[in-house]
Amino acid sequence: GGEGVGGGCVDRMSLTPHALGVHHLLKWLSPVVRPLLDYPSRRRLDRCINISDLRDAAKLRAHKMVFDYLDAGADDEITIRRNKDAYSQLELHYRILAGLSPPLDMSTRVMGRDVKIPFFVSPTAGSKMFHADGEVGVARAASAAGAMYSLSTMGTAAPAEVAPATPAHHPKLFQLYVWKDRSLVRDMLAQAREHGFHALALTVDLTWYGNRERDHRNGFTVPPAYTAKQTYEAMRRPAWTWDFLSSPEYAYAAVDLAAQGRARRAADGSRGETSASDAPFPTDRREQVAFIRDAFDPSFSWDDAEWLCQEWNEGPVALKGVVRPSDALKAVDRGFDAVWVSNHGGRQLETAPAPVDVLPSIRDAMGGVPAWHAAKTAEEDTFKTAALNPTLDLSDRGTYAEVRAKAAKAASDACGGSHLVAAKTGLPVEIVVDGGVQRGTDVLKGLAMGADAVAIGKPYLYGLCAGGEAGVRKAFDVLTAELERAMGLLGVGTVRELRARMAAGEGLVRRRHPSPRDFP
């Protein structure tokens, strides 16, 4: 994951190609020009067979500033390397002669909804900077894969734009930061609620900005600045540049939502809750982005997190950015339904622990693997039985609430009350993990170490950079095929069976002992 906003200097120039309306002219030429410029990208995408290939293809298509924003970590990028290395230190002790044949059932429940695969796209900022397909293309790809979709507060498309790209009732999560202006927070929640987002994630590890040195060196801004350096790099990446110049200028959707909310409250004669809402809203696009970035509240506390949790009644709420068991317990005590184990993709605090390394301790804090398996299985069975009942419509809120109450009781009975449950729903507290995932085997290891689901950031963004929606679909195809192969080779036919065997202490995943050969 890595949904943070970028720093860098702000360009004050107003006579940009977009200000002059050049994109209105170029869009008529796009049906002819774009396929020609994208031909090398499509060829590279066709040859990609893993996420590393997608990264190479992304680097060759995207502007250097954009690719480095995606690829980089904080400071010396130690954490980002450790996130990946932590998975390589976990061994898979496979079972033989398991009698499995494809296709395997990789379905599970994530944030209270059924999904076909146990991984999903992490909310990330500014998808349109990577490719013109942006968040809408990612949403379509996630929907096609049967995965939950996540939209960042700092996305370049608003919930209203993204929602039509997914079927009705498709699982959708909205990720939120908390600004000083509570009215803006409510505006964001209202739009997410209106457009069918069923779950919420509050990111809490970005109250201070990480030191992302590649961004500083590149002069990263949103929207881009028209410096000589940026122009030179744009000329080296014609497919990306044509996308940028022939499409509306991208910016964080929160900018427009803030302006609309400010105007509406002015018309109503109402005001926001803090002095931030009284500050003049800038008219220049780049100054607007800086205004939103500076509206983040570094004094955000547990009381504020609890306030936000109470503001959302549509479905489960996750606390994102947890690496300590004590904080996970406090999140549950404050009313959160899920704990998201993450260090922001290695982009914030340098030398923070790898999420998969701390995952087992957080699972133990929730009640341990055996209790989790018993409770989760009872929950799944209850909802599966309800889904097969033709007289029940789970899309009806009242019916869903009744089934959820039955599932909560079944889960509590199954584990003897030994697993922590969410205060609002009574269902077992879920755990999501992200950071460092590059292979289907990594997803498998994350699940085996105690996660209900695994979130991916860089893998799908490499695909988006490399080829838009088609690239994201490629990332899903690659990871899904790798996960199914890994499950088959490990000797587990379902996510539930993996959970059951770990609960039984079979040790399918074990930490590798260091060897002298590790240090040539």
Side-chain angles (χ1 to χ4, degrees), residues 208-518:
W208 290 56
Y209 295 114
N211 179 35
R212 304 166 195 176
E213 295 181 352
R214 286 201 235 178
D215 289 351
H216 293 301
R217 292 191 181 97
N218 289 329
F220 177 83
T221 59
V222 176
Y226 288 87
T227 62
K229 180 179 181 180
Q230 304 296 17
T231 302
Y232 168 73
E233 293 294 345
M235 291 171 62
R236 297 179 64 230
R237 296 293 183 264
W240 181 92
T241 302
W242 181 268
D243 263 1
F244 173 67
L245 292 176
S246 62
S247 304
E249 186 174 49
Y250 63 75
Y252 300 127
V255 167
D256 293 328
L257 188 60
Q260 293 164 9
R262 185 77 61 87
R264 185 179 62 254
R265 287 190 293 275
D268 294 342
S270 61
R271 302 173 68 179
E273 296 182 22
T274 71
S275 59
S277 63
D278 297 328
F281 195 77
T283 57
D284 180 80
R285 198 62 159 168
R286 286 156 182 78
E287 291 181 354
Q288 288 175 350
V289 170
F291 182 90
I292 290 293
R293 186 189 66 223
D294 294 341
F296 278 58
D297 188 358
S299 65
F300 188 70
S301 69
W302 279 106
D303 290 339
D304 298 306
E306 186 174 358
W307 168 83
L308 178 73
C309 201
Q310 294 169 352
E311 287 288 308
W312 182 262
N313 295 314
E314 301 306 299
V317 185
L319 190 69
K320 183 176 185 294
V322 177
V323 296
R324 296 173 61 90
S326 59
D327 284 338
L329 291 170
K330 192 174 293 185
V332 176
D333 185 58
R334 293 285 185 151
F336 286 87
D337 307 275
V339 173
W340 195 319
V341 184
S342 173
N343 60 24
H344 214 92
R347 297 162 68 82
Q348 285 296 99
L349 178 63
E350 183 67 300
T351 67
V356 75
D357 281 344
V358 298
L359 174 58
S361 64
I362 293 176
R363 172 52 69 195
D364 287 342
M366 296 298 102
V369 174
W372 166 50
H373 170 61
K376 181 85 171 183
T377 299
E379 176 193 344
E380 291 173 340
D381 287 344
T382 303
F383 276 99
K384 185 175 294 184
T385 300
L388 294 174
N389 187 337
T391 66
L392 296 179
D393 178 11
L394 290 179
S395 64
D396 176 75
R397 294 186 66 173
T399 302
Y400 182 86
E402 291 178 5
V403 175
R404 186 179 64 192
K406 292 180 181 178
K409 184 179 186 308
S412 178
D413 291 345
C415 70
S418 59
H419 192 279
L420 292 185
V421 298
K424 287 189 293 186
T425 66
L427 295 176
V429 174
E430 293 189 25
I431 297 179
V432 175
V433 70
D434 70 19
V437 175
Q438 298 288 299
R439 288 279 189 180
T441 48
D442 298 338
V443 175
L444 179 62
K445 292 171 183 178
L447 298 172
M449 297 297 280
D452 290 271
V454 176
I456 60 169
K458 284 182 170 60
Y460 86 86
L461 289 179
Y462 289 142
L464 183 64
C465 258
E469 179 183 338
V472 181
R473 288 176 182 255
K474 170 70 74 125
F476 269 114
D477 289 345
V478 164
L479 290 175
T480 301
E482 289 182 350
L483 174 59
E484 183 179 45
R485 184 183 308 115
M487 289 174 62
L489 290 171
L490 186 63
V492 293
T494 65
V495 174
R496 177 185 292 197
E497 183 184 355
L498 172 65
R499 201 171 59 226
R501 293 192 178 281
M502 294 303 294
E506 293 192 12
L508 298 179
V509 179
R510 305 175 192 175
R511 192 165 303 280
R512 182 175 181 271
H513 296 294
S515 164
R517 286 174 292 181
D518 293 340

Side-chain angles (χ1 to χ4, degrees), residues 19-240:
L20 297 173
V22 171
H23 59 292
H24 294 302
L25 300 176
L26 296 183
K27 71 178 181 180
W28 299 107
L29 299 176
S30 278
V32 175
V33 177
R34 179 173 284 148
L36 294 175
L37 293 178
D38 257 340
Y39 178 74
S41 300
R42 291 197 304 272
R43 290 289 303 275
R44 286 192 294 266
L45 187 62
D46 288 342
R47 293 194 294 267
C48 291
I49 63 172
N50 57 34
I51 299 303
S52 180
D53 289 346
L54 286 176
R55 179 185 180 276
D56 292 341
K59 190 173 184 179
L60 290 171
R61 188 187 187 277
H63 192 291
K64 184 179 188 300
M65 172 189 73
V66 169
F67 177 80
D68 280 351
Y69 171 78
L70 157 60
D71 197 56
D75 295 354
D76 297 311
E77 302 187 356
I78 294 169
T79 304
I80 201 170
R81 291 193 296 273
R82 287 181 179 173
N83 283 355
K84 300 175 185 178
D85 291 345
Y87 282 102
S88 70
Q89 295 304 309
L90 296 174
E91 294 179 331
L92 294 170
H93 291 245
Y94 56 90
R95 300 169 58 247
I96 60 172
L97 301 177
L100 300 174
S101 59
L104 300 183
D105 179 7
M106 294 180 282
S107 64
T108 189
R109 285 181 64 78
V110 179
M111 299 296 285
R113 293 291 181 91
D114 293 322
V115 290
K116 292 181 180 178
I117 54 177
F119 62 93
F120 64 94
V121 295
S122 194
T124 54
S127 290
K128 286 182 183 176
M129 80 172 79
F130 306 119
H131 193 282
D133 288 352
E135 286 84 359
V136 171
V138 175
R140 284 195 292 254
S143 175
M148 185 171 74
Y149 172 71
S150 302
L151 176 65
S152 171
T153 298
M154 303 310 293
T156 42
E161 185 180 350
V162 172
T166 63
H169 308 300
H170 185 82
K172 294 187 293 292
L173 176 146
F174 184 68
Q175 174 273 331
L176 188 70
Y177 299 105
V178 173
W179 284 289
K180 301 168 187 174
D181 185 350
R182 293 285 179 90
S183 297
L184 178 56
V185 174
R186 289 196 173 103
D187 288 341
M188 299 294 290
L189 292 178
Q191 188 168 131
R193 184 181 298 115
E194 179 184 353
H195 293 282
F197 283 76
H198 84 285
L200 184 72
L202 171 64
T203 297
V204 292
D205 55 3
L206 196 78
T207 49
W208 290 56
Y209 295 114
N211 179 35
R212 304 166 195 176
E213 295 181 352
R214 286 201 235 178
D215 289 351
H216 293 301
R217 292 191 181 97
N218 289 329
F220 177 83
T221 59
V222 176
Y226 288 87
T227 62
K229 180 179 181 180
Q230 304 296 17
T231 302
Y232 168 73
E233 293 294 345
M235 291 171 62
R236 297 179 64 230
R237 296 293 183 264
W240 181 92

